[in-house]
Amino acid sequence: SYELTQPPSVSVSPGQTARITCSGDALPKKYAYWYQQKSGQAPVLVIYEDTRRPSGIPERFSGSSSGAMATLTINGAQVEDEADYYCCSTDSSGIQWVFGGGTKLTVL
Amino acid sequence: EVQLVESGGGLVKPGGSLRLSCVGSGFSFTNAWMNWVRQAPGKGLEWVGRIKSKADGETRDNAAPVKGRFTISRDDSKHTLFLQMNSLQTEDTAVYYCTTLMKDNAGDAVDIWGHGTMVIVSS
């Protein structure tokens, strides 16, 4: 079955740039989506279609994709950005959606 | 207010069945492709399945772990999504979310999640 691979954890100091990667064989042809999930809450979409930011998401969140890797970048990470982040995409058929294993972002 | 509200979770014995519901409001439910996503305690997100809109054929697709056991359906007249879960296993224990990702008139993404409903499969 198709898999998306993320690092388990990323740690930065406040104000630094955090980068979270997501690798998958179908990413060169399929969009990546990024979700933020804070403890006890439902996920929130922060990036869609590789690079687009939904209304209401701070500009410090950006996305990029190159080859088989998508990247979520948080410029000037803040304490309130501490959360689990999940990438999401489809397999090559476009039918099966898959989440990455999640990355715990620590900002302290 | 744009929202999704799930219900129907609870405690069920292995091999049992449960039906979850999700009522949508404040958006065009009829045109939405609806998903179920689950999260086992302390674990990551897992896509369960999706049903397309009636206009797009109401096609259903499920993830491999639930194929043949879970069925997704919808009643657009009641703006309600269902997840019928049969032959439940302990590994199905999770919070179940309904969710949809739509585009508004400007082409921007509108992402809607429910608060989730807990399903516990245990003897």
Side-chain angles (χ1 to χ4, degrees), chain B residues 92-113:
Chain B
D92 296 318
T93 293
V95 174
Y96 283 74
Y97 296 99
C98 63
T99 178
T100 186
L101 179 60
M102 310 176 68
K103 292 287 185 73
D104 63 16
N105 292 335
D108 293 326
V110 177
D111 179 51
I112 311 169
W113 289 70

PDB file of all heavy atoms in Angstrom, chain B residues 92-113:
ATOM      1  N   ASP B  92     -10.085  -1.113  15.346  1.00  0.00           N
ATOM      2  CA  ASP B  92     -10.955  -0.058  14.832  1.00  0.00           C
ATOM      3  C   ASP B  92     -11.243   1.006  15.894  1.00  0.00           C
ATOM      4  O   ASP B  92     -11.896   2.007  15.603  1.00  0.00           O
ATOM      5  CB  ASP B  92     -12.277  -0.645  14.332  1.00  0.00           C
ATOM      6  CG  ASP B  92     -12.103  -1.575  13.145  1.00  0.00           C
ATOM      7  OD1 ASP B  92     -11.302  -1.238  12.248  1.00  0.00           O
ATOM      8  OD2 ASP B  92     -12.752  -2.636  13.128  1.00  0.00           O
ATOM      9  N   THR B  93     -10.773   0.782  17.104  1.00  0.00           N
ATOM     10  CA  THR B  93     -10.946   1.766  18.166  1.00  0.00           C
ATOM     11  C   THR B  93     -10.265   3.075  17.776  1.00  0.00           C
ATOM     12  O   THR B  93      -9.061   3.099  17.491  1.00  0.00           O
ATOM     13  CB  THR B  93     -10.349   1.248  19.485  1.00  0.00           C
ATOM     14  OG1 THR B  93     -11.120   0.120  19.935  1.00  0.00           O
ATOM     15  CG2 THR B  93     -10.368   2.335  20.562  1.00  0.00           C
ATOM     16  N   ALA B  94     -11.050   4.152  17.750  1.00  0.00           N
ATOM     17  CA  ALA B  94     -10.517   5.434  17.279  1.00  0.00           C
ATOM     18  C   ALA B  94     -11.566   6.524  17.427  1.00  0.00           C
ATOM     19  O   ALA B  94     -12.744   6.238  17.647  1.00  0.00           O
ATOM     20  CB  ALA B  94     -10.106   5.335  15.809  1.00  0.00           C
ATOM     21  N   VAL B  95     -11.117   7.766  17.294  1.00  0.00           N
ATOM     22  CA  VAL B  95     -12.031   8.886  17.066  1.00  0.00           C
ATOM     23  C   VAL B  95     -12.287   8.942  15.570  1.00  0.00           C
ATOM     24  O   VAL B  95     -11.341   8.908  14.772  1.00  0.00           O
ATOM     25  CB  VAL B  95     -11.433  10.212  17.549  1.00  0.00           C
ATOM     26  CG1 VAL B  95     -12.337  11.378  17.158  1.00  0.00           C
ATOM     27  CG2 VAL B  95     -11.212  10.181  19.054  1.00  0.00           C
ATOM     28  N   TYR B  96     -13.553   9.012  15.201  1.00  0.00           N
ATOM     29  CA  TYR B  96     -13.932   9.055  13.790  1.00  0.00           C
ATOM     30  C   TYR B  96     -14.423  10.466  13.460  1.00  0.00           C
ATOM     31  O   TYR B  96     -15.338  10.998  14.101  1.00  0.00           O
ATOM     32  CB  TYR B  96     -15.021   8.028  13.508  1.00  0.00           C
ATOM     33  CG  TYR B  96     -14.481   6.616  13.430  1.00  0.00           C
ATOM     34  CD1 TYR B  96     -14.101   5.940  14.593  1.00  0.00           C
ATOM     35  CD2 TYR B  96     -14.311   5.972  12.212  1.00  0.00           C
ATOM     36  CE1 TYR B  96     -13.573   4.668  14.537  1.00  0.00           C
ATOM     37  CE2 TYR B  96     -13.790   4.679  12.143  1.00  0.00           C
ATOM     38  CZ  TYR B  96     -13.421   4.041  13.308  1.00  0.00           C
ATOM     39  OH  TYR B  96     -12.891   2.772  13.245  1.00  0.00           O
ATOM     40  N   TYR B  97     -13.768  11.066  12.458  1.00  0.00           N
ATOM     41  CA  TYR B  97     -14.120  12.397  11.991  1.00  0.00           C
ATOM     42  C   TYR B  97     -14.772  12.307  10.612  1.00  0.00           C
ATOM     43  O   TYR B  97     -14.323  11.532   9.762  1.00  0.00           O
ATOM     44  CB  TYR B  97     -12.876  13.268  11.823  1.00  0.00           C
ATOM     45  CG  TYR B  97     -12.098  13.582  13.069  1.00  0.00           C
ATOM     46  CD1 TYR B  97     -10.943  12.863  13.391  1.00  0.00           C
ATOM     47  CD2 TYR B  97     -12.466  14.628  13.908  1.00  0.00           C
ATOM     48  CE1 TYR B  97     -10.192  13.175  14.514  1.00  0.00           C
ATOM     49  CE2 TYR B  97     -11.716  14.954  15.034  1.00  0.00           C
ATOM     50  CZ  TYR B  97     -10.590  14.224  15.328  1.00  0.00           C
ATOM     51  OH  TYR B  97      -9.847  14.544  16.433  1.00  0.00           O
ATOM     52  N   CYS B  98     -15.801  13.126  10.385  1.00  0.00           N
ATOM     53  CA  CYS B  98     -16.229  13.352   9.011  1.00  0.00           C
ATOM     54  C   CYS B  98     -15.636  14.676   8.562  1.00  0.00           C
ATOM     55  O   CYS B  98     -15.426  15.600   9.366  1.00  0.00           O
ATOM     56  CB  CYS B  98     -17.745  13.335   8.861  1.00  0.00           C
ATOM     57  SG  CYS B  98     -18.641  14.612   9.744  1.00  0.00           S
ATOM     58  N   THR B  99     -15.318  14.764   7.293  1.00  0.00           N
ATOM     59  CA  THR B  99     -14.634  15.945   6.787  1.00  0.00           C
ATOM     60  C   THR B  99     -14.895  16.116   5.299  1.00  0.00           C
ATOM     61  O   THR B  99     -15.188  15.155   4.597  1.00  0.00           O
ATOM     62  CB  THR B  99     -13.113  15.845   7.061  1.00  0.00           C
ATOM     63  OG1 THR B  99     -12.458  16.989   6.510  1.00  0.00           O
ATOM     64  CG2 THR B  99     -12.505  14.590   6.463  1.00  0.00           C
ATOM     65  N   THR B 100     -14.779  17.348   4.840  1.00  0.00           N
ATOM     66  CA  THR B 100     -14.868  17.625   3.419  1.00  0.00           C
ATOM     67  C   THR B 100     -13.950  18.786   3.079  1.00  0.00           C
ATOM     68  O   THR B 100     -13.680  19.654   3.918  1.00  0.00           O
ATOM     69  CB  THR B 100     -16.316  17.943   2.994  1.00  0.00           C
ATOM     70  OG1 THR B 100     -16.377  18.068   1.572  1.00  0.00           O
ATOM     71  CG2 THR B 100     -16.818  19.237   3.624  1.00  0.00           C
ATOM     72  N   LEU B 101     -13.454  18.780   1.869  1.00  0.00           N
ATOM     73  CA  LEU B 101     -12.617  19.858   1.365  1.00  0.00           C
ATOM     74  C   LEU B 101     -13.250  20.363   0.078  1.00  0.00           C
ATOM     75  O   LEU B 101     -13.342  19.622  -0.896  1.00  0.00           O
ATOM     76  CB  LEU B 101     -11.191  19.370   1.118  1.00  0.00           C
ATOM     77  CG  LEU B 101     -10.195  20.383   0.558  1.00  0.00           C
ATOM     78  CD1 LEU B 101     -10.048  21.559   1.510  1.00  0.00           C
ATOM     79  CD2 LEU B 101      -8.850  19.725   0.316  1.00  0.00           C
ATOM     80  N   MET B 102     -13.722  21.600   0.115  1.00  0.00           N
ATOM     81  CA  MET B 102     -14.426  22.155  -1.030  1.00  0.00           C
ATOM     82  C   MET B 102     -13.700  23.399  -1.517  1.00  0.00           C
ATOM     83  O   MET B 102     -12.761  23.881  -0.879  1.00  0.00           O
ATOM     84  CB  MET B 102     -15.858  22.523  -0.631  1.00  0.00           C
ATOM     85  CG  MET B 102     -16.632  21.439   0.075  1.00  0.00           C
ATOM     86  SD  MET B 102     -18.252  22.008   0.590  1.00  0.00           S
ATOM     87  CE  MET B 102     -19.038  22.211  -1.013  1.00  0.00           C
ATOM     88  N   LYS B 103     -14.177  23.920  -2.622  1.00  0.00           N
ATOM     89  CA  LYS B 103     -13.688  25.195  -3.128  1.00  0.00           C
ATOM     90  C   LYS B 103     -14.827  26.201  -3.058  1.00  0.00           C
ATOM     91  O   LYS B 103     -15.970  25.871  -3.406  1.00  0.00           O
ATOM     92  CB  LYS B 103     -13.217  25.044  -4.580  1.00  0.00           C
ATOM     93  CG  LYS B 103     -11.965  24.184  -4.764  1.00  0.00           C
ATOM     94  CD  LYS B 103     -10.722  24.884  -4.292  1.00  0.00           C
ATOM     95  CE  LYS B 103      -9.464  24.090  -4.593  1.00  0.00           C
ATOM     96  NZ  LYS B 103      -9.103  24.109  -6.007  1.00  0.00           N
ATOM     97  N   ASP B 104     -14.525  27.420  -2.620  1.00  0.00           N
ATOM     98  CA  ASP B 104     -15.558  28.462  -2.620  1.00  0.00           C
ATOM     99  C   ASP B 104     -15.635  29.099  -4.007  1.00  0.00           C
ATOM    100  O   ASP B 104     -14.942  28.689  -4.937  1.00  0.00           O
ATOM    101  CB  ASP B 104     -15.294  29.490  -1.513  1.00  0.00           C
ATOM    102  CG  ASP B 104     -13.987  30.260  -1.699  1.00  0.00           C
ATOM    103  OD1 ASP B 104     -13.416  30.238  -2.819  1.00  0.00           O
ATOM    104  OD2 ASP B 104     -13.528  30.865  -0.719  1.00  0.00           O
ATOM    105  N   ASN B 105     -16.469  30.121  -4.129  1.00  0.00           N
ATOM    106  CA  ASN B 105     -16.670  30.730  -5.446  1.00  0.00           C
ATOM    107  C   ASN B 105     -15.398  31.342  -6.021  1.00  0.00           C
ATOM    108  O   ASN B 105     -15.266  31.499  -7.232  1.00  0.00           O
ATOM    109  CB  ASN B 105     -17.782  31.780  -5.365  1.00  0.00           C
ATOM    110  CG  ASN B 105     -19.143  31.152  -5.118  1.00  0.00           C
ATOM    111  OD1 ASN B 105     -19.359  29.993  -5.458  1.00  0.00           O
ATOM    112  ND2 ASN B 105     -20.047  31.905  -4.506  1.00  0.00           N
ATOM    113  N   ALA B 106     -14.475  31.712  -5.138  1.00  0.00           N
ATOM    114  CA  ALA B 106     -13.208  32.311  -5.575  1.00  0.00           C
ATOM    115  C   ALA B 106     -12.153  31.244  -5.887  1.00  0.00           C
ATOM    116  O   ALA B 106     -11.036  31.580  -6.268  1.00  0.00           O
ATOM    117  CB  ALA B 106     -12.682  33.252  -4.500  1.00  0.00           C
ATOM    118  N   GLY B 107     -12.525  29.964  -5.689  1.00  0.00           N
ATOM    119  CA  GLY B 107     -11.583  28.885  -5.951  1.00  0.00           C
ATOM    120  C   GLY B 107     -10.660  28.572  -4.790  1.00  0.00           C
ATOM    121  O   GLY B 107      -9.713  27.787  -4.931  1.00  0.00           O
ATOM    122  N   ASP B 108     -10.927  29.179  -3.630  1.00  0.00           N
ATOM    123  CA  ASP B 108     -10.112  28.915  -2.454  1.00  0.00           C
ATOM    124  C   ASP B 108     -10.679  27.738  -1.659  1.00  0.00           C
ATOM    125  O   ASP B 108     -11.885  27.505  -1.658  1.00  0.00           O
ATOM    126  CB  ASP B 108     -10.048  30.142  -1.548  1.00  0.00           C
ATOM    127  CG  ASP B 108      -9.291  31.283  -2.210  1.00  0.00           C
ATOM    128  OD1 ASP B 108      -8.333  31.001  -2.965  1.00  0.00           O
ATOM    129  OD2 ASP B 108      -9.669  32.444  -1.988  1.00  0.00           O
ATOM    130  N   ALA B 109      -9.807  27.031  -0.984  1.00  0.00           N
ATOM    131  CA  ALA B 109     -10.205  25.831  -0.251  1.00  0.00           C
ATOM    132  C   ALA B 109     -11.020  26.171   0.990  1.00  0.00           C
ATOM    133  O   ALA B 109     -10.710  27.119   1.711  1.00  0.00           O
ATOM    134  CB  ALA B 109      -8.983  25.032   0.153  1.00  0.00           C
ATOM    135  N   VAL B 110     -12.057  25.389   1.201  1.00  0.00           N
ATOM    136  CA  VAL B 110     -12.841  25.457   2.438  1.00  0.00           C
ATOM    137  C   VAL B 110     -12.790  24.056   3.049  1.00  0.00           C
ATOM    138  O   VAL B 110     -13.307  23.103   2.485  1.00  0.00           O
ATOM    139  CB  VAL B 110     -14.296  25.869   2.161  1.00  0.00           C
ATOM    140  CG1 VAL B 110     -15.095  25.842   3.464  1.00  0.00           C
ATOM    141  CG2 VAL B 110     -14.350  27.238   1.512  1.00  0.00           C
ATOM    142  N   ASP B 111     -12.151  23.946   4.189  1.00  0.00           N
ATOM    143  CA  ASP B 111     -11.902  22.664   4.839  1.00  0.00           C
ATOM    144  C   ASP B 111     -12.768  22.564   6.085  1.00  0.00           C
ATOM    145  O   ASP B 111     -12.714  23.436   6.944  1.00  0.00           O
ATOM    146  CB  ASP B 111     -10.412  22.599   5.209  1.00  0.00           C
ATOM    147  CG  ASP B 111     -10.048  21.312   5.920  1.00  0.00           C
ATOM    148  OD1 ASP B 111     -10.393  20.236   5.409  1.00  0.00           O
ATOM    149  OD2 ASP B 111      -9.414  21.391   6.990  1.00  0.00           O
ATOM    150  N   ILE B 112     -13.582  21.546   6.152  1.00  0.00           N
ATOM    151  CA  ILE B 112     -14.518  21.425   7.262  1.00  0.00           C
ATOM    152  C   ILE B 112     -14.333  20.069   7.929  1.00  0.00           C
ATOM    153  O   ILE B 112     -14.312  19.033   7.247  1.00  0.00           O
ATOM    154  CB  ILE B 112     -15.980  21.547   6.773  1.00  0.00           C
ATOM    155  CG1 ILE B 112     -16.157  22.766   5.876  1.00  0.00           C
ATOM    156  CG2 ILE B 112     -16.932  21.628   7.972  1.00  0.00           C
ATOM    157  CD1 ILE B 112     -17.486  22.806   5.151  1.00  0.00           C
ATOM    158  N   TRP B 113     -14.185  20.072   9.248  1.00  0.00           N
ATOM    159  CA  TRP B 113     -14.073  18.849  10.045  1.00  0.00           C
ATOM    160  C   TRP B 113     -15.112  18.892  11.163  1.00  0.00           C
ATOM    161  O   TRP B 113     -15.410  19.933  11.715  1.00  0.00           O
ATOM    162  CB  TRP B 113     -12.687  18.732  10.681  1.00  0.00           C
ATOM    163  CG  TRP B 113     -11.587  18.439   9.721  1.00  0.00           C
ATOM    164  CD1 TRP B 113     -11.080  19.280   8.771  1.00  0.00           C
ATOM    165  CD2 TRP B 113     -10.834  17.222   9.614  1.00  0.00           C
ATOM    166  NE1 TRP B 113     -10.072  18.658   8.073  1.00  0.00           N
ATOM    167  CE2 TRP B 113      -9.891  17.395   8.581  1.00  0.00           C
ATOM    168  CE3 TRP B 113     -10.868  15.997  10.296  1.00  0.00           C
ATOM    169  CZ2 TRP B 113      -8.997  16.393   8.198  1.00  0.00           C
ATOM    170  CZ3 TRP B 113      -9.972  15.001   9.933  1.00  0.00           C
ATOM    171  CH2 TRP B 113      -9.047  15.200   8.887  1.00  0.00           C
TER     172      TRP B 113
END
